Amino acid sequence: MTEQLAPLREQLLRPLRMGRVALAMEADALTLLAYQTIGGQLQLQSWQQAPLPSGVVEAGVPLLTEALGDLIGDVLLQGGLQAPGARALLPPEAVVLRSLKLPAGRQPDAEIMPWLMGQEAALALPFPLAEAAVSWQQRGDHWLLACLPNEQLDRWIDTFAIAGLDLHGLEPSVLAVERLLPAPLQQQDQQQWTGSLDVRGESWQLLLWRGAVPLRQLSLASASGLDELQAVIAELDGQPPTLWVLADPELTPPLESWSQQVGCRMERIDALSQAAVSDAEAWVSPAPAAVDRLIGLALGGQPR
């Protein structure tokens, strides 16, 4: 079993093997997206959603793996879906991201772990580094680390095994959101801020990147979201960011007036426009909010 787990521990940030099912757990719901890639084009087949019973998942971590695995299997069966494996999103609370600048000449390789162990205090992880799966990805002149406790990774693997699926990979949701942006972050000036703002739900979710490095994830109260957002933008040095807004399809946020109040450019982003729907009858409108990030997850490895 240890030999089987070792390769997956390195896949939190690296390109994932292609699968046909993408899964997310948000709030009290499980959302599953079925898709195919045909001729390099992402084709969405259907989405399924089911309520999450209380106590099965906490802070994005599977607690009752057997119950959750059975639920995923039931959703697949009810949707008439067959897939060899699945990818899953890790919500912000379930994975720790850290950005650091390595010393000149140092590259993240098999020998980096001893060096990282010496930096453990500076990383300020909520768990021992020696007990974590760590993966990395270059972002400009920085390296982005993703850290997940081994025990939690094992829970994910067990959950999907119970559902009858191979776990093709886990990915932090912030990376999935990046793929919904019109231009790759790697092409931006390293001092330029960019953000995504999800205005659905009881609170607004704000992600901020500087260049290609995700630096801040904030939750804003929807009732005072614009005031809080204005204060956050005012604290940023450099040029005001462009904020890409995720909103319910049936709502039209007054982005022009919001832009004037907050003091930055705001544009709406439509994740569904980045894929084709292969079976319109399998879709219920509107799709749940989690589908946006699942499309970003499915886009992993697709040409921009």
Side-chain angles (χ1 to χ4, degrees):
M1 188 66 171
T2 302
E3 290 76 14
Q4 296 175 347
L5 302 186
L8 184 56
R9 299 191 196 284
E10 305 300 325
Q11 293 298 321
L12 293 178
L13 287 174
R14 296 179 184 173
L16 308 174
R17 291 186 294 150
M18 289 304 299
R20 290 183 292 161
V21 168
L23 182 141
M25 292 180 291
E26 295 186 344
D28 56 355
L30 166 76
T31 306
L32 186 148
L33 178 69
Y35 66 93
Q36 288 183 334
T37 302
I38 303 176
Q41 172 72 38
L42 183 64
Q43 300 277 342
L44 308 181
Q45 296 175 302
S46 66
W47 62 265
Q48 312 291 326
Q49 193 170 56
L52 274 176
S54 176
V56 173
V57 177
E58 183 176 334
V61 179
L63 296 184
L64 303 179
T65 56
E66 186 169 351
L68 182 57
D70 288 342
L71 176 60
I72 295 172
D74 289 344
V75 172
L76 289 169
L77 183 62
Q78 292 169 8
L81 303 176
Q82 293 184 344
R87 304 178 181 188
L89 283 178
L90 288 172
E93 62 270 24
V95 61
V96 177
L97 297 178
R98 292 288 187 266
S99 173
L100 76 163
K101 194 169 184 177
L102 298 183
R106 161 66 75 176
Q107 295 292 320
D109 50 31
E111 302 302 320
I112 197 176
M113 285 307 296
W115 182 84
L116 281 178
M117 295 295 290
Q119 312 299 313
E120 184 166 8
L123 292 174
L125 299 177
F127 42 77
L129 182 60
E131 300 175 7
V134 180
S135 188
W136 45 78
Q137 188 179 87
Q138 187 170 6
R139 295 300 183 93
D141 61 352
H142 283 66
W143 291 89
L144 181 65
L145 303 182
C147 308
L148 179 73
N150 288 328
E151 187 270 339
Q152 293 183 18
L153 178 59
D154 294 345
R155 287 178 176 274
W156 279 98
I157 295 171
D158 291 345
T159 293
F160 280 88
I162 292 169
L165 295 168
D166 288 332
L167 180 56
H168 286 179
L170 299 171
E171 182 172 80
S173 61
V174 62
L175 270 67
V177 173
E178 289 179 0
R179 298 195 191 98
L180 304 179
L181 305 181
L185 293 170
Q186 296 280 14
Q187 298 179 4
Q188 294 192 161
D189 184 280
Q190 294 186 13
Q191 301 304 312
Q192 176 63 49
W193 288 92
T194 305
S196 72
L197 180 66
D198 191 336
V199 298
R200 302 165 297 192
E202 297 180 357
S203 61
W204 292 1
Q205 302 302 314
L206 175 66
L207 297 172
L208 289 172
W209 297 265
R210 190 168 194 179
V213 181
L215 289 182
R216 302 186 71 179
Q217 302 182 57
L218 301 172
S219 181
L220 312 176
S222 57
S224 57
L226 287 179
D227 291 334
E228 293 185 50
L229 182 60
Q230 185 177 17
V232 171
I233 300 302
E235 295 175 355
L236 303 180
D237 53 340
Q239 300 178 5
T242 296
L243 290 183
W244 298 96
V245 179
L246 293 163
D248 289 326
E250 67 273 16
L251 298 179
T252 306
L255 295 186
E256 184 175 352
S257 62
W258 285 9
S259 297
Q260 295 175 353
Q261 178 175 342
V262 173
C264 71
R265 178 186 170 203
M266 301 180 75
E267 299 284 350
R268 184 165 183 161
I269 189 168
D270 180 9
L272 288 172
S273 67
Q274 302 194 36
V277 178
S278 58
D279 184 1
E281 294 182 358
W283 290 75
V284 177
S285 183
V291 165
D292 288 337
R293 290 174 174 80
L294 290 175
I295 291 173
L297 178 62
L299 285 169
Q302 300 297 311
R304 292 294 303 241

